[in-house]
Amino acid sequence: MAAVYKSLSKTNGPKEDRTANATRPNRQRVLILSSRGVTYRQRHLLNDLYSLLPHSRKDAKLDTKTKLYQLNELAELYNCNNVFFFEARKGKDLYIWMSKAPNGPTVKMHLQNLHTMEELHFTGNCLKGSRPILSFDATFDTQPHLRVIKELFLHIFGVPKGARKTKPFIDHVMGFTIADGKIWIRCYQINETEVGKSTTSADDDKAAAAVDGEEPADTATGKKSKRKGGDKETNLSLVEIGPRFVLTPIVILESSFGGPVIYENKEFVSPNQIRADLRLSKAGRYNRRSDQGLERKTKKGDLGLRSQGGRRKERDELHESVLFA
């Protein structure tokens, strides 16, 4: 009877007060997958991002590269409202699709300067399942298309509180910086050390890196802070974890993997066009050398060095081709 009374009291309670006081939960789930043809470095980047995003769901590779609208059905199947898709082209180029399923928008970007956690060997580390602090450049608020990209980054990389497989800790920072029309993404660990121990630990890390012959990891010193429970001062610093990569925005579509184009980067040059220009420059060097050879032969003919009175010049008996034939 007590259980029945409790259930009835919950249902008959004031709903208006609960709806007014309760905040809307941030429910974000990300579907991460790739297409066929990704390299091992691109696959390692996908695994690194999957480990950094505990609210994500990884799926098998997508067989098609043209019917991308099928990703909306996969997102609905796995109860995800964000899609993070890796599209590989020719085993060299990697394009990133970020979409807000099922209504959009969608951003397509070109990924460059890829470095995974395994190849960086940074000393930074964070707890698996912890939530990050997202740090955005002030340039994101200057243009409309950058504000759209920032909102997508918040939904995909911002781990909501209370999501699945999350820990109640915040121990790393993800930085998004804009330079030269590209978005530079870095991940740092928030390192908290005491003032007396910070100098000695930093010297030990530098000495160990010098002995191993490696470059020390990128660190950024922060401000000093005091703990609540005592008078000890702590020094906050940032140690890079990885991965690191650069994104170049290409287009923004109104709906999810379709619809009209609301933004297009006119300054973007595809890597196929860059490779074609390099091949043409090499072919141009060969053509210039062959033209110079023809000009040299015609000049000799005009000066009479290749003929005698309109006849071909006879070969000398002491010529190397005659002596060593």
Side-chain angles (χ1 to χ4, degrees):
M1 292 297 294
V4 175
Y5 175 75
K6 287 182 180 179
S7 62
L8 290 175
S9 63
K10 288 182 180 179
T11 55
N12 296 330
K15 295 183 179 179
E16 295 180 357
D17 297 339
R18 284 184 290 177
T19 55
N21 297 329
T23 59
R24 186 177 180 182
N26 183 16
R27 294 171 180 169
Q28 302 292 336
R29 293 193 66 185
V30 184
L31 177 64
I32 300 179
L33 72 163
S34 65
S35 65
R36 298 286 180 183
V38 291
T39 61
Y40 71 97
R41 297 178 72 244
Q42 297 167 359
R43 187 175 65 254
H44 290 175
L45 174 64
L46 189 144
N47 294 330
D48 293 343
L49 293 177
Y50 176 69
S51 62
L52 288 174
L53 304 177
H55 66 301
S56 61
R57 171 67 182 267
K58 188 169 67 171
D59 194 25
K61 295 179 181 178
L62 189 68
D63 292 330
T64 179
K65 294 183 181 179
T66 56
K67 302 177 182 179
L68 297 182
Y69 57 85
Q70 296 179 359
L71 293 171
N72 295 325
E73 301 176 1
L74 288 175
E76 184 180 1
L77 181 64
Y78 292 115
N79 194 18
C80 297
N81 53 2
N82 299 287
V83 180
F84 201 35
F85 179 61
F86 285 62
E87 182 185 2
R89 294 290 181 91
K90 297 184 177 180
K92 303 176 182 177
D93 308 325
L94 182 63
Y95 295 92
I96 299 294
W97 292 80
M98 295 190 306
S99 175
K100 188 71 180 173
N103 298 323
T106 304
V107 180
K108 180 183 179 182
M109 292 184 285
H110 180 226
L111 192 144
Q112 294 174 300
N113 299 336
L114 166 62
H115 299 284
T116 60
M117 290 184 183
E118 292 184 355
E119 61 188 36
L120 288 175
H121 299 292
F122 282 148
T123 58
N125 194 5
C126 64
L127 183 66
K128 187 171 183 178
S130 61
R131 300 172 59 207
I133 297 175
L134 303 183
S135 174
F136 288 94
D137 191 0
T139 316
F140 277 97
D141 298 328
T142 57
Q143 299 180 11
H145 71 279
L146 294 177
R147 288 198 291 268
V148 174
I149 296 174
K150 177 183 177 181
E151 192 68 22
L152 280 174
F153 281 147
L154 285 172
H155 290 182
I156 291 177
F157 292 99
V159 180
K161 186 177 182 180
R164 58 184 282 271
K165 298 182 180 179
T166 56
K167 304 293 190 303
F169 303 106
I170 297 176
D171 59 353
H172 62 285
V173 181
M174 294 194 71
F176 302 87
T177 309
I178 295 179
D180 298 333
K182 305 177 188 302
I183 302 173
W184 303 68
I185 299 178
R186 299 288 185 269
C187 186
Y188 299 93
Q189 174 199 357
I190 302 175
N191 190 16
E192 184 178 1
T193 56
E194 294 183 5
V195 177
K197 296 180 180 179
S198 61
T199 56
T200 57
S201 62
D203 296 339
D204 294 341
D205 293 341
K206 290 182 180 180
V211 171
D212 296 338
E214 299 177 354
E215 295 183 357
D218 295 341
T219 57
T221 57
K223 297 180 179 179
K224 296 180 181 178
S225 61
K226 292 185 178 180
R227 295 180 181 176
K228 295 181 180 180
D231 297 330
K232 295 182 179 180
E233 292 185 353
T234 58
N235 190 9
L236 296 178
S237 61
L238 297 179
V239 184
E240 187 167 0
I241 304 171
R244 52 164 62 175
F245 52 92
V246 181
L247 299 176
T248 305
I250 303 176
V251 292
I252 299 179
L253 305 179
E254 186 176 1
S255 61
S256 181
F257 298 101
V261 177
I262 60 178
Y263 170 76
E264 184 178 2
N265 188 5
K266 301 292 184 181
E267 298 179 355
F268 174 73
V269 180
S270 65
N272 289 332
Q273 185 65 34
I274 295 174
R275 287 191 290 265
D277 293 340
L278 290 175
R279 288 194 297 268
L280 287 176
S281 63
K282 292 180 181 179
R285 290 199 297 268
Y286 172 75
N287 293 332
R288 285 193 296 270
R289 286 198 302 268
S290 61
D291 292 341
Q292 289 175 359
L294 290 176
E295 290 179 0
R296 187 165 57 251
K297 288 183 180 180
T298 54
K299 285 182 180 180
K300 285 184 178 180
D302 295 339
L303 295 174
L305 299 177
R306 299 188 62 192
S307 62
Q308 288 181 346
R311 293 176 301 173
R312 189 174 183 81
K313 187 177 180 180
E314 296 180 359
R315 183 176 296 180
D316 191 4
E317 296 180 357
L318 299 177
H319 195 266
E320 293 181 357
S321 59
V322 179
L323 292 175
F324 301 102

